[in-house]
């Protein structure tokens, strides 16, 4: 393990354009459950997975009804109350790599906004953020508190409309079956194509199209792909990643950063 940490630090320190891909695993040490780990939301409650798949169809059929349902139920998602959750050393390690000028982008599947809270600036939230809203027509994003949703409901004005194009506003979180917003999808693909190092943290890499990103990078070639994960994943098994550092992101990523700093001195 020690050797792999040094190797990852060396690879990062010598990269020209490093990009990180993250998944639910980087947030489990903040107390948010993942979906497919042993204590995962789907692992313990398969019915919840089936229900989640219905939500986007409901939105398309009846956006007003969808919003009313959302606002009438307690604002606790499947993952628990996300407002209070704090970033952990794994998130902060990625901030440090960005400040060192090594990490050019973090592309996350997480909707918990913990990378943003930790201070990552160049961030693509592939599945959106629970803290934002998005216009389904033009992709304009707003903070949730920029629209008084309760007032709109009381005045019978739901669904909220975009101030720029008049399109329907939805929560930014990408629902199951919903296409990835075109701006984020396009830029993520470009970054995967451009990078010469990919640092993949805490994702089982089975949710598509996100799981295509490492494969796109691999196909292009001239790239080092490092996984930091508690378990082996399809990327490990298929040889998409060059090596896996097996363990917790909250412990391994800070050690890699320490080593990078030592090398840069
Ligand atoms: P996943 O649940 O499918 O996989 C998580 C992976 O991380 C597993 O391989 C697990 O072994 C590993 N892991 C768990 N804790 C770890 C730790 N401390 N250190 C290193 N590895 C650890 O997650 P996914 O691949 O991100 O796919 C789940 C989908 O559900 C995503 O698309 C995401 O949008 C959503 N989701 C988001 C959150 C969140 O925002 N925090 C949480 C759960 C699910
Ligand atoms: Zn709009």
């Amino acid at each position: 393990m020690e050797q792999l940490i040094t190797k990852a630090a060396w690879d990062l320190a010598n990269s020209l354009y490093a990009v990180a891909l993250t998944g639910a695993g980087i947030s489990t040490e903040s107390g948010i459950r993942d979906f497919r780990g042993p204590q995962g939301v789907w692992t313990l409650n398969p019915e919840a997975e089936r229900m989640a798949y219905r939500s986007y169809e409901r939105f398309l059929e009846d956006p007003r009804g969808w919003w009313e349902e959302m606002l009438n139920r307690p604002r606790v998602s499947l993952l628990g109350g996300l407002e209070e959750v704090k970033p952990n050393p794994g998130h902060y390690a990625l901030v440090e790599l960005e400040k060192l000028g090594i990490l050019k982008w973090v592309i996350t599947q997480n909707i918990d906004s913990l990378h943003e809270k930790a201070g990552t600036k160049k961030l693509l939230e592939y599945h959106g953020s629970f803290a934002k809203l998005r216009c389904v027509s033009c992709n304009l994003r707003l903070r949730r508190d920029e629209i008084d949703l309760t007032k709109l409901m009381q005045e019978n004005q739901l669904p909220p409309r975009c101030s720029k194009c008049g399109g329907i506003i939805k929560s930014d979180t990408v629902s199951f079956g919903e296409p990835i917003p075109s701006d984020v999808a396009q830029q993520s693909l470009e970054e995967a194509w451009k990078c010469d190092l990919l640092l993949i943290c805490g994702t089982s890499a089975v949710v598509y199209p996100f799981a295509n990103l490492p494969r796109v990078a691999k196909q292009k070639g001239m790239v080092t792909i490092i996984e930091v994960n508690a378990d082996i994943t399809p990327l490990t098994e298929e040889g998409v990643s060059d090596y896996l550092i097996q363990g917790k992101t909250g412990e391994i990523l800070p050690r890699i950063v320490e080593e990078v700093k030592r090398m840069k001195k």
Side-chain angles (χ1 to χ4, degrees), residues 43-237:
T43 315
L44 300 180
N45 186 359
E47 180 57 23
E49 182 168 13
R50 276 189 288 277
M51 296 278 290
Y53 278 89
R54 270 286 295 148
S55 173
Y56 186 56
E57 278 171 40
R58 278 277 298 137
F59 173 80
L60 292 178
E61 282 161 17
D62 176 16
R64 172 195 295 250
W66 184 89
W67 266 113
E68 282 169 355
E69 263 172 45
M70 292 279 282
L71 296 172
N72 280 325
R73 69 172 189 234
R75 209 171 125 43
V76 175
S77 79
L78 276 170
L79 301 174
L82 291 176
E83 274 92 354
E84 315 305 326
V85 185
K86 296 202 168 50
N88 68 59
H91 298 102
Y92 290 114
L94 295 186
V95 176
E96 290 218 47
L97 285 176
E98 180 178 62
K99 284 187 180 155
L100 286 166
I102 293 173
L103 201 56
K104 308 299 190 227
W105 284 95
V106 173
I107 309 175
T108 188
Q109 296 171 89
N110 297 341
I111 54 132
D112 54 31
S113 90
L114 290 182
H115 287 297
E116 194 177 15
K117 274 191 197 163
T120 291
K121 299 277 181 267
K122 300 290 235 27
L123 177 66
L124 295 170
E125 294 176 310
Y126 202 80
H127 291 158
S129 162
F130 87 101
K132 294 178 192 152
L133 303 170
R134 168 172 43 87
C135 167
V136 293
S137 303
C138 76
N139 289 332
L140 177 84
R141 290 174 182 77
L142 307 157
R143 284 198 326 275
R144 244 177 203 273
D145 58 13
E146 287 181 74
I147 296 186
D148 189 342
L149 293 163
T150 316
K151 187 159 168 260
L152 288 186
M153 181 162 67
Q154 283 159 356
E155 291 173 356
N156 226 358
Q157 303 269 345
L158 288 174
R161 293 277 175 178
C162 174
S163 58
K164 209 171 115 199
C165 79
I168 296 177
I169 301 264
K170 181 187 163 292
S171 59
D172 185 32
T173 315
V174 175
S175 308
F176 294 95
E178 179 181 359
I180 305 299
S182 52
D183 51 354
V184 173
Q186 173 69 23
Q187 203 188 338
S188 300
L189 212 54
E190 282 168 18
E191 300 306 334
W193 191 254
K194 202 148 101 186
C195 69
D196 66 349
L197 187 143
L198 212 49
L199 181 63
I200 307 179
C201 313
T203 173
S204 60
V206 296
V207 176
Y208 284 83
F210 187 90
N212 274 329
L213 299 173
R215 294 176 166 93
V216 163
K218 184 77 179 179
Q219 226 167 33
K220 182 213 62 171
M222 306 280 282
V223 63
T224 304
I225 304 186
I226 309 169
E227 272 187 292
V228 181
N229 203 301
D231 291 304
I232 288 169
T233 75
L235 300 178
T236 334
E237 288 170 340

Side-chain angles (χ1 to χ4, degrees), residues 7-67:
K7 185 170 161 55
W10 194 91
D11 284 337
L12 277 160
N14 287 288
S15 68
L16 295 174
Y17 202 94
V19 169
L21 301 182
T22 72
I26 199 169
S27 293
T28 54
E29 288 162 87
S30 291
I32 305 174
R33 288 194 288 158
D34 59 13
F35 277 176
R36 294 176 189 79
Q39 293 302 312
V41 176
W42 298 161
T43 315
L44 300 180
N45 186 359
E47 180 57 23
E49 182 168 13
R50 276 189 288 277
M51 296 278 290
Y53 278 89
R54 270 286 295 148
S55 173
Y56 186 56
E57 278 171 40
R58 278 277 298 137
F59 173 80
L60 292 178
E61 282 161 17
D62 176 16
R64 172 195 295 250
W66 184 89
W67 266 113

